[in-house]
Every structure is written in structure tokens, then in C-alpha cells.
Amino acid sequence: MTKQSLLFFLPLLLVLSLGTAAQSTTAEKTASIRATTPNPLRFIVRGTSLIDLNQPEKPVFFRGMGYSPFLPGETPVLLMPPGNDDRYGKHLALIKDLGVNYLHVFPRFMPRNFFLALDKTDLVYSQDVWVWAYEEDFLAPAFQAKTLADIKDVIDHTYQVGRPDRLVLFSIGDELQAKCVTSTDARHPDVHDYQGKHLTVTGRTPTEVAITKLIDEAMDYELTRYGRRHLYCHTSWTHIGPVANRPDLEVSQESILVPDMGDLVCLNLYTYANGVRTSPPGSVTGTTYQGYLEQLAKELHKPILITQVGLSTSPIAPKPWVPGFGGHKVEEVPATLQSVWQDVRSARGRDVFCGLVFFELQDEWWKTAKSLEASTRHDPEDPEQWFGMYEVGKDNNLIPKGTIPATVKRLFTEP
């Protein structure tokens, strides 16, 4: 091809590329909420800020704690909710003493006694709505129908038992598995756009469309049945995006997931995670964590809530190919929490971050348990069971792990 011919065809080639392979990059992906869709009544998004209309003079920054109050002998694996007893008053007293102002709640059906205890505090909360993350096809009609029915049950529980006036957001799905993102995208190579009643996305991956459909239909259900809505997000993790230019991602560039299809971006962001540990140094602290934060702030144009960060103190780190996943000594954890806090608060573009949630209040013995007996023991080789700031001791009392809670309190009571 001559130079003149090449110059003639360049505009056409550019247009064609924007409609095909380049759709997978963040720059060409769009997500919008219809102007006619009502705003939530309390917590709203303005630009890249989260605003509490009860205190609208400054943007919100949540000092948060992940909360899953299952005790030994209780497990959601067997479809059990946490017990409806007096634990919640004790737990919330500890939480308030740490300087926490926000709870990220994981059980889908918290019992009435939790909300009665919540009434005695000024805490607000968000509701995680767990979606089966191991599905081979997130767009399959049967999966979409079953998942939407589960989401509706959680919304109904919020209005029948919960506290909608204290609720910040519903998170639809959490940490989709890379192999399932890949298989979904391979099954639907022509699905890139979606126009729902409230959400419109273009240039997206099939998996992003699948999550958008669930959020759109959940939002419509809440508005139709209850006449109001809350904020919505999907919680993702760095192994599958949204930052794309990292060598250790677990999906191809064509399947990068950017979780911006709701009101705000929610992201589990661990110091040792894929995508984070290969980031360039941050501008102030020099850590790869801050480097990742600063690229997020540059690329995304919605408020970003860091929904999980922490370290597991499991005695055994079972996956040498995932350094940092488990095996941390209790005395090592405070320094990492301090570092993360400094990274967030000093990052270039930090105003886009609307909160930091430490994961989590207490160890979760039920993780991966397949029976009641299994949920009563702490497995040394399972890091998922050891992320708590507190361990569960005699009579189910929460016992602080070294100075971890004191460190959280010191950080969260800073200006």
C-alpha cells in the first residue's frame, strides 16, 4: 500500500477498530443512568463524589468495616442466617469504638436484632448481594432469572426487616471468577451493548452486560415496588481489571471487567493481589498499592469505594504462587493497614475515593465448610477463615488480635 493510500484509509481503519477489538479498552466503554431515573433519597453521586444529603456540605469518606457475624456452628453454606441473639449490641459497641462509621454487610438476611442494635448507633450500612461467581455463562436466561429472584428477596428483606433509611447501596455480585468471565465472553461474542429501563452500556464485554442487566432489573424492581431506590454497584477485584495494563491479570485484554455500570465503582483491593503488586510506585509513598490507586483515579470517573482490604493471619499460606494470601503474623498486620491508609489518603487524585473498608471484624470459621462440624473448627490452611481484626474466643466473645483493632482505631479517628 502506498503512503497516499495509507493516509486515505487511516480514518476508515480507525472507525473500524473502535467498533471491534478496541471495544475492550476502558476508554471506549460507556455506562450511563437515564436522566429520568430518580436519585436515591439520602446518598447520591455528584460527579466523582458521594454525598450524604443529611450533611451535604462535604463529600462522604467512609471509614468502614466488613461485617459477617456468623459464629462457630453457623454457616450460610447450609442456608443459615446469623443467629437472632444479643451478639449485635456487643459487636456494634466494638465497631463504634474503632471509629467506624460504615458497615459493609455480607449476610443477605440479617436478623431483626441486628437492626435493633443498629438503631442505637449512627452507623450506616451497605448490603452485599452475593451472586454465584462460578457460573459458566452469566448471561444464561436461567441464571439471570434465578439470580434476579434472589436479589429481589434481599431487597424485600431490606424493606420488611432492614433499615432502608440507613442503607447506602446494594452491591450486586462480588469477585466473579476469571475462568467464568472468559467462558461467558466466549459464548456471546456479539454482545457488547445493553439498553435497559435505567441503565445503558455500550462497547462492553458480555459479562459486563450480564451484570448490567441484573443491576438494571434490581433497580427497576425497587423503584416499582417501593417507590424509591438506593445506590447500586457491582463489586469486582483487581485480578480481572479494571486497570488493564498489568502482566498478571487472569483474563485477556478482551475480557477486562470495568465495574462502573452502576452509580459508583466498588473494588476489593488487596496489597498482594494480581494487578496491584505489578503496579508502578505511587507518587507519594512509593508503594505499588498507591500506584494502582492513582491509575484508578486517572481512568475512572465515578466515586470509588474500596470495599475490602486486609491480611489473613492463617498459620499456613497454602498457595505459594499467591504470595501474601495467608500466613501473616498478627504483629505484621498493623504496619500494612497503616501503609494502606497513607496510600489512600495521600494518593494523587484521592478525592475520587469515597471510603476504605477493612476486611473484616471477626474471623469466619464457616468459610469453605461443607457441614456443621466443619464450621466449628479453624482450619490453619484456609486463609479465608482468618481475616478478622478479632478472633472468636470462649463463649463466642471477640478477642482482639494483638494491636490490630487499636491500629484501626488510631487511623479511623484521624481527621
Side-chain angles (χ1 to χ4, degrees), residues 19 27 31 79 84 112 129 143 175 178 192 207 211 215 220 264 274 279 311 323 325 365 372 384 404 411:
L79 304 180
N84 189 36
R112 189 174 301 276
V129 186
F143 173 81
E175 294 190 355
H192 297 292
T207 300
I211 295 299
I215 294 175
D220 189 62
L264 71 164
N274 288 7
S279 289
L311 291 177
F325 182 53
W365 291 12
L372 280 176
E384 292 287 355
I404 298 175
L411 299 175

Short mmCIF file of all heavy atoms in Angstrom, two decimals, residues 19 27 31 79 84 112 129 143 175 178 192 207 211 215 220 264 274 279 311 323 325 365 372 384 404 411:
data_model
loop_
_atom_site.label_atom_id
_atom_site.label_comp_id
_atom_site.label_asym_id
_atom_site.label_seq_id
_atom_site.Cartn_x
_atom_site.Cartn_y
_atom_site.Cartn_z
N GLY A 19 -14.96 -0.07 16.61
CA GLY A 19 -16.15 -0.90 16.71
C GLY A 19 -15.87 -2.36 16.98
O GLY A 19 -16.79 -3.13 17.14
N ALA A 27 -11.33 3.13 27.64
CA ALA A 27 -11.66 4.43 27.05
C ALA A 27 -12.92 4.37 26.20
O ALA A 27 -13.66 5.35 26.12
CB ALA A 27 -10.49 4.91 26.20
N ALA A 31 -21.12 3.87 30.16
CA ALA A 31 -22.17 3.45 31.09
C ALA A 31 -22.89 4.69 31.57
O ALA A 31 -22.25 5.66 31.98
CB ALA A 31 -21.57 2.68 32.28
N LEU A 79 -27.51 -22.53 54.19
CA LEU A 79 -28.63 -21.57 54.10
C LEU A 79 -29.09 -21.09 55.47
O LEU A 79 -30.28 -20.82 55.68
CB LEU A 79 -29.80 -22.18 53.31
CG LEU A 79 -29.47 -22.68 51.91
CD1 LEU A 79 -30.70 -23.25 51.23
CD2 LEU A 79 -28.87 -21.57 51.05
N ASN A 84 -30.29 -14.79 65.78
CA ASN A 84 -31.02 -13.58 66.21
C ASN A 84 -30.92 -13.45 67.73
O ASN A 84 -31.88 -13.66 68.46
CB ASN A 84 -32.49 -13.68 65.77
CG ASN A 84 -33.24 -12.39 65.98
OD1 ASN A 84 -32.69 -11.31 65.81
ND2 ASN A 84 -34.50 -12.49 66.37
N ARG A 112 -33.48 -9.50 62.80
CA ARG A 112 -34.09 -8.29 63.37
C ARG A 112 -33.23 -7.68 64.48
O ARG A 112 -33.13 -6.45 64.59
CB ARG A 112 -35.48 -8.64 63.89
CG ARG A 112 -36.31 -7.43 64.31
CD ARG A 112 -37.73 -7.86 64.67
NE ARG A 112 -38.39 -8.51 63.56
CZ ARG A 112 -39.01 -7.86 62.58
NH1 ARG A 112 -39.03 -6.53 62.57
NH2 ARG A 112 -39.60 -8.53 61.61
N VAL A 129 -24.99 -8.35 47.97
CA VAL A 129 -25.91 -9.38 47.46
C VAL A 129 -25.07 -10.38 46.69
O VAL A 129 -24.72 -10.16 45.52
CB VAL A 129 -27.00 -8.79 46.56
CG1 VAL A 129 -28.01 -9.86 46.18
CG2 VAL A 129 -27.69 -7.61 47.25
N PHE A 143 -29.85 -18.62 34.67
CA PHE A 143 -29.01 -17.99 35.70
C PHE A 143 -29.51 -16.58 36.00
O PHE A 143 -29.62 -16.18 37.17
CB PHE A 143 -27.56 -17.94 35.24
CG PHE A 143 -26.67 -17.16 36.16
CD1 PHE A 143 -26.17 -17.74 37.33
CD2 PHE A 143 -26.35 -15.84 35.89
CE1 PHE A 143 -25.38 -17.01 38.19
CE2 PHE A 143 -25.55 -15.11 36.74
CZ PHE A 143 -25.06 -15.70 37.91
N GLU A 175 -16.63 -10.40 43.12
CA GLU A 175 -15.48 -11.22 42.72
C GLU A 175 -15.85 -12.37 41.79
O GLU A 175 -15.72 -13.55 42.12
CB GLU A 175 -14.72 -11.74 43.95
CG GLU A 175 -14.07 -10.64 44.76
CD GLU A 175 -13.12 -11.18 45.83
OE1 GLU A 175 -13.05 -12.41 46.01
OE2 GLU A 175 -12.45 -10.36 46.49
N ALA A 178 -12.38 -15.58 37.15
CA ALA A 178 -11.81 -15.25 35.84
C ALA A 178 -12.21 -16.26 34.78
O ALA A 178 -12.56 -15.89 33.64
CB ALA A 178 -10.29 -15.17 35.95
N HIS A 192 -22.34 -6.66 23.14
CA HIS A 192 -21.50 -5.57 23.63
C HIS A 192 -22.30 -4.40 24.20
O HIS A 192 -21.71 -3.54 24.88
CB HIS A 192 -20.59 -5.04 22.51
CG HIS A 192 -19.62 -6.07 22.01
ND1 HIS A 192 -18.58 -6.55 22.77
CD2 HIS A 192 -19.56 -6.72 20.82
CE1 HIS A 192 -17.90 -7.45 22.08
NE2 HIS A 192 -18.48 -7.58 20.90
N THR A 207 -19.86 -10.27 29.86
CA THR A 207 -20.00 -10.37 31.32
C THR A 207 -20.46 -9.04 31.91
O THR A 207 -21.31 -9.01 32.80
CB THR A 207 -18.68 -10.81 31.97
OG1 THR A 207 -18.30 -12.09 31.45
CG2 THR A 207 -18.81 -10.90 33.47
N ILE A 211 -23.97 -8.35 34.15
CA ILE A 211 -24.10 -7.66 35.44
C ILE A 211 -24.97 -6.42 35.31
O ILE A 211 -25.79 -6.11 36.19
CB ILE A 211 -22.70 -7.29 35.98
CG1 ILE A 211 -21.90 -8.56 36.29
CG2 ILE A 211 -22.80 -6.41 37.22
CD1 ILE A 211 -22.53 -9.45 37.35
N ILE A 215 -28.32 -5.40 37.54
CA ILE A 215 -28.44 -4.14 38.27
C ILE A 215 -29.64 -3.35 37.79
O ILE A 215 -30.42 -2.80 38.59
CB ILE A 215 -27.15 -3.31 38.13
CG1 ILE A 215 -25.98 -4.01 38.83
CG2 ILE A 215 -27.33 -1.91 38.71
CD1 ILE A 215 -24.64 -3.32 38.64
N ASP A 220 -35.01 -1.39 38.91
CA ASP A 220 -36.40 -1.22 38.48
C ASP A 220 -37.36 -1.88 39.46
O ASP A 220 -38.44 -1.33 39.75
CB ASP A 220 -36.59 -1.79 37.08
CG ASP A 220 -37.94 -1.43 36.50
OD1 ASP A 220 -38.20 -0.22 36.32
OD2 ASP A 220 -38.74 -2.35 36.23
N LEU A 264 -21.60 3.89 41.26
CA LEU A 264 -20.22 4.09 41.69
C LEU A 264 -19.44 2.81 41.47
O LEU A 264 -20.00 1.77 41.13
CB LEU A 264 -20.16 4.51 43.16
CG LEU A 264 -20.51 3.47 44.24
CD1 LEU A 264 -20.01 3.96 45.61
CD2 LEU A 264 -21.99 3.19 44.33
N ASN A 274 -3.16 -9.72 42.30
CA ASN A 274 -2.77 -9.54 40.91
C ASN A 274 -3.25 -8.18 40.41
O ASN A 274 -4.35 -7.75 40.71
CB ASN A 274 -3.37 -10.65 40.03
CG ASN A 274 -2.70 -11.98 40.26
OD1 ASN A 274 -1.87 -12.14 41.14
ND2 ASN A 274 -3.08 -12.96 39.46
N SER A 279 2.07 -3.01 39.86
CA SER A 279 1.87 -1.61 39.53
C SER A 279 3.15 -0.80 39.74
O SER A 279 4.02 -1.19 40.52
CB SER A 279 0.75 -1.02 40.41
OG SER A 279 -0.52 -1.53 40.04
N LEU A 311 -5.44 -8.48 55.70
CA LEU A 311 -4.50 -9.59 55.63
C LEU A 311 -5.02 -10.76 56.45
O LEU A 311 -5.61 -10.55 57.52
CB LEU A 311 -3.13 -9.18 56.16
CG LEU A 311 -2.30 -8.19 55.36
CD1 LEU A 311 -1.01 -7.86 56.11
CD2 LEU A 311 -1.99 -8.71 53.96
N PRO A 323 1.68 -15.08 46.70
CA PRO A 323 2.36 -14.60 47.91
C PRO A 323 1.54 -13.51 48.60
O PRO A 323 1.06 -12.58 47.96
CB PRO A 323 3.68 -14.05 47.37
CG PRO A 323 3.45 -13.80 45.92
CD PRO A 323 2.45 -14.82 45.48
N PHE A 325 -1.27 -14.26 50.37
CA PHE A 325 -2.59 -14.80 50.68
C PHE A 325 -2.45 -15.79 51.83
O PHE A 325 -2.27 -16.98 51.66
CB PHE A 325 -3.19 -15.49 49.46
CG PHE A 325 -4.58 -16.04 49.67
CD1 PHE A 325 -5.59 -15.24 50.17
CD2 PHE A 325 -4.88 -17.36 49.36
CE1 PHE A 325 -6.87 -15.75 50.37
CE2 PHE A 325 -6.15 -17.88 49.55
CZ PHE A 325 -7.15 -17.06 50.07
N TRP A 365 -15.19 -18.75 60.58
CA TRP A 365 -14.88 -20.18 60.61
C TRP A 365 -15.67 -20.99 59.59
O TRP A 365 -15.29 -22.11 59.27
CB TRP A 365 -15.15 -20.74 62.01
CG TRP A 365 -14.21 -20.23 63.05
CD1 TRP A 365 -13.33 -19.20 62.93
CD2 TRP A 365 -14.04 -20.75 64.37
NE1 TRP A 365 -12.63 -19.03 64.09
CE2 TRP A 365 -13.05 -19.97 65.00
CE3 TRP A 365 -14.64 -21.78 65.08
CZ2 TRP A 365 -12.65 -20.20 66.31
CZ3 TRP A 365 -14.24 -22.00 66.38
CH2 TRP A 365 -13.26 -21.23 66.99
N LEU A 372 -21.89 -28.73 59.44
CA LEU A 372 -21.86 -28.01 60.71
C LEU A 372 -20.59 -28.31 61.48
O LEU A 372 -19.99 -27.43 62.10
CB LEU A 372 -23.09 -28.39 61.54
CG LEU A 372 -24.39 -27.69 61.17
CD1 LEU A 372 -25.54 -28.21 62.02
CD2 LEU A 372 -24.27 -26.18 61.35
N GLU A 384 -9.03 -17.86 54.09
CA GLU A 384 -10.32 -17.16 54.11
C GLU A 384 -10.93 -17.09 55.51
O GLU A 384 -11.76 -16.22 55.79
CB GLU A 384 -11.30 -17.85 53.15
CG GLU A 384 -10.93 -17.73 51.69
CD GLU A 384 -11.18 -16.34 51.12
OE1 GLU A 384 -11.72 -15.48 51.84
OE2 GLU A 384 -10.81 -16.11 49.95
N ILE A 404 -4.07 -4.99 66.25
CA ILE A 404 -4.77 -4.69 65.00
C ILE A 404 -5.97 -3.77 65.25
O ILE A 404 -6.09 -2.72 64.59
CB ILE A 404 -5.20 -5.98 64.28
CG1 ILE A 404 -3.99 -6.81 63.89
CG2 ILE A 404 -6.03 -5.64 63.03
CD1 ILE A 404 -4.32 -8.16 63.27
N LEU A 411 -6.19 4.99 63.18
CA LEU A 411 -6.33 5.50 61.82
C LEU A 411 -7.69 6.15 61.59
O LEU A 411 -7.80 7.24 61.02
CB LEU A 411 -6.13 4.36 60.81
CG LEU A 411 -4.74 3.69 60.83
CD1 LEU A 411 -4.74 2.52 59.85
CD2 LEU A 411 -3.65 4.67 60.49
#
